Every structure is written in structure tokens, then in C-alpha cells.
Amino acid sequence: MTDAEDASSVPASPELHRLSPRDESRVALALTLRQMADAVLDAVPVEPDPAPGDLLRTALRLQRRTEDVVREAVVAERERGTTWNQIGDAAGITRQSAHEKWYSDVHGWAAIGRSALPPELKTLEVAAEADARYARLRPDRPHAVTSGLDAIRFPGSHAYEASLRARGSALHIRRTDLDARATRLNDEYSDLHAHGPTSAPAGDDPLLIDTHRGHADAVRANRLAIAAVHDEIATLYDELATAEPSLADEHHTQSAWHHNAADQARSYADLLNGKKG
């Protein structure tokens, strides 16, 4: 479909309720830039005598919005396959610095379902509205936003993207459940530490010895349980790397972190077992 064709001609099927993550990130960036444009217009000083500091406060608000634009742009770059090396080059920093600076934004985007909008809104319809706003300023580009979307350029692609999104969504639901289980276990661990014995029992009092051993057993069981959860989450992130290939680097990073957390929890459990003996 060409830029001159009307985006509204695309059928509003359930499959197009959510577009590909690549399209969603592009629309998210477009909407953030539109908000930025509105904010810039509102920031034009029109009051003859603003309160002291108002001009600076307005400028700082624009600066924060610019940072939002940068974060959205990084997400959109990752969704279109731009590597962290390329992102670092574009920003004039190293790959590692780029990863440290924006990794959490990309990971957060993945965690919320890689969608630009709330569930009740259809991305393509919102993008068409953005077209109309853009066309008021650039009449020669009546479909500036939608013309760059895969859903418009490759109409049959949404079925494949929908299958990937369904698989990824199911995995993220499992991840949310596992995260909740890990939180409960860590809360239990904190409670055990708060109410357990402060030191090893002195002397040969059987009651104190049994109490100490019972507490050590409870902590060890807790750490073994949390290790198992971390292992499950690590495996899940490995599966997400396949289901969401454009974010494979982020998912492999999370997998490695959870594998390491599982190893640390098991090592502590083994240490407690040695002390108990």
C-alpha cells in the first residue's frame, strides 16, 4: 500500500487490534513526539511578565520530555533490530554504556507486553489520528505515520506477528506468576531472619539446639525453593529469546542473572547444611 492510500481501508480485524511490536514501538515514539510538539508550543513565552523561575521550570519540563523521546527511540531501535553496538555508536558512547543506560527501558517495554496503548484502544486507529494531525502541518504527507508500519506495508504479516505475540504473552504471564512466587519466598526469608535466633546456641541445651537446627532447616528449604524459581525464570527467558527475537539480548541477560541468583541461593543452602552438621 502506498503513502497516498487511506489507512482506514485496512479492515479492523481482531488481529490488527495490536500490531507487531516493531509497529507498536514506532507508534509509541510518534505519540511521544506529538506530545512533545504540543509541549513545545505551550512553552512559547507569551506572558509579558511570568513569575520568577517559570521560564526555567518550563524548559526543564521540556528536557524531561526529551529524555522520554530518547527512551522511546531506543526501544523502537531495538524492535527494528538495531544492535546495542549501533545504539552506542549513534549516542557516541560504548555498547556497554548504552546497555547500562537504556536496558531497563527496553526490559520494561517487554514486561508490559510491547504495546504502545491501553488494551481498549486500537493502535492502527490511533496511528491514523496521528496521520491527520501531521497532515495539518505537512499536507503532502497525509499518511506519514501509518505508511511506515508493517501492517500497512505488508498486510499479511500480522498473522505471523500475532502468533509470536500470543506465545510471548503466555510466557510473560508465567513470568509474572513466578515473580510473585519469588516475592513471597523472599518475604518469608526476611521474616525468618527477623524472628530467628541471633547466634549459634551456647552450651548443650537440647531445646536451644533443636530450635537453631529447625530455623536453619527452614531457611535452607526457603533458599532451595527460591533457587528452583530462579531456574524456572531463567528457562522462561531463554524461551522468550526465541518468541521475541528482536529482544533476545535482553532476555539472555535476564536468564544469566537468574541462573546466577539460583546458584547463589543453592550455595547458601549448602552452607547452612554444613553448619547444621
Side-chain angles (χ1 to χ4, degrees):
M1 183 175 289
T2 66
D3 187 44
E5 292 179 273
D6 191 345
S8 64
S9 65
V10 178
S13 62
E15 291 83 359
L16 287 178
H17 192 80
R18 282 290 167 266
L19 307 183
S20 70
R22 174 183 167 119
D23 280 357
E24 291 283 332
S25 65
R26 187 181 178 96
V27 172
L29 176 59
L31 294 178
T32 301
L33 284 166
R34 190 192 74 185
Q35 293 168 357
M36 179 73 175
D38 291 341
V40 169
L41 184 61
D42 290 340
V44 173
V46 294
E47 294 295 331
D49 190 22
D54 272 2
L55 299 179
L56 177 58
R57 279 188 285 270
T58 299
L60 290 173
R61 282 196 295 272
L62 287 179
Q63 184 181 57
R64 288 191 290 272
R65 285 181 177 271
T66 301
E67 292 167 356
D68 291 339
V69 171
V70 171
R71 286 191 287 268
E72 297 279 7
V74 170
V75 170
E77 290 285 4
R78 286 295 295 136
E79 287 289 17
R80 65 194 292 259
T82 306
T83 67
W84 283 108
N85 276 328
Q86 292 169 324
I87 289 173
D89 287 344
I93 56 179
T94 65
R95 176 200 183 282
Q96 181 178 354
S97 295
H99 190 267
E100 291 174 355
K101 187 176 182 67
W102 293 303
Y103 167 78
S104 61
D105 298 304
V106 180
H107 178 64
W109 162 260
I112 63 170
R114 303 164 84 194
S115 179
L117 300 165
E120 65 273 12
L121 297 177
K122 294 183 179 180
T123 306
L124 198 59
E125 291 179 357
V126 174
E129 292 173 5
D131 277 348
R133 287 180 64 111
Y134 192 92
R136 287 199 288 270
L137 299 174
R138 303 281 181 85
D140 59 319
R141 296 294 304 277
H143 309 291
V145 177
T146 54
S147 64
L149 301 179
D150 292 341
I152 301 299
R153 297 164 64 213
F154 314 109
S157 65
H158 64 270
Y160 172 69
E161 292 290 349
S163 68
L164 284 182
R165 182 177 283 281
R167 183 183 173 201
S169 296
L171 290 170
H172 280 294
I173 290 172
R174 280 179 52 202
R175 179 192 56 77
T176 300
D177 291 341
L178 289 169
D179 285 345
R181 194 190 310 172
T183 297
R184 289 193 298 271
L185 287 167
N186 283 325
D187 288 344
E188 177 187 307
Y189 177 70
S190 298
D191 189 62
L192 285 167
H193 265 287
H195 298 94
T198 57
S199 61
D204 298 325
D205 187 328
L207 182 59
L208 290 177
I209 292 174
D210 286 345
T211 299
H212 187 270
R213 285 177 176 171
H215 178 262
D217 285 342
V219 173
R220 180 172 181 273
N222 176 278
R223 293 298 84 188
L224 289 174
I226 196 69
V229 172
H230 280 303
D231 280 335
E232 285 190 65
I233 296 175
T235 299
L236 188 147
Y237 273 112
D238 288 336
E239 294 178 35
L240 276 169
T242 301
E244 300 177 343
S246 61
L247 302 183
D249 283 354
E250 287 75 12
H251 296 324
H252 285 314
T253 296
Q254 285 293 315
S255 175
W257 188 92
H258 284 284
H259 274 306
N260 183 61
D263 289 343
Q264 290 184 9
R266 271 190 294 270
S267 294
Y268 185 44
D270 291 341
L271 181 64
L272 289 173
N273 195 42
K275 285 184 175 181
K276 185 182 73 170

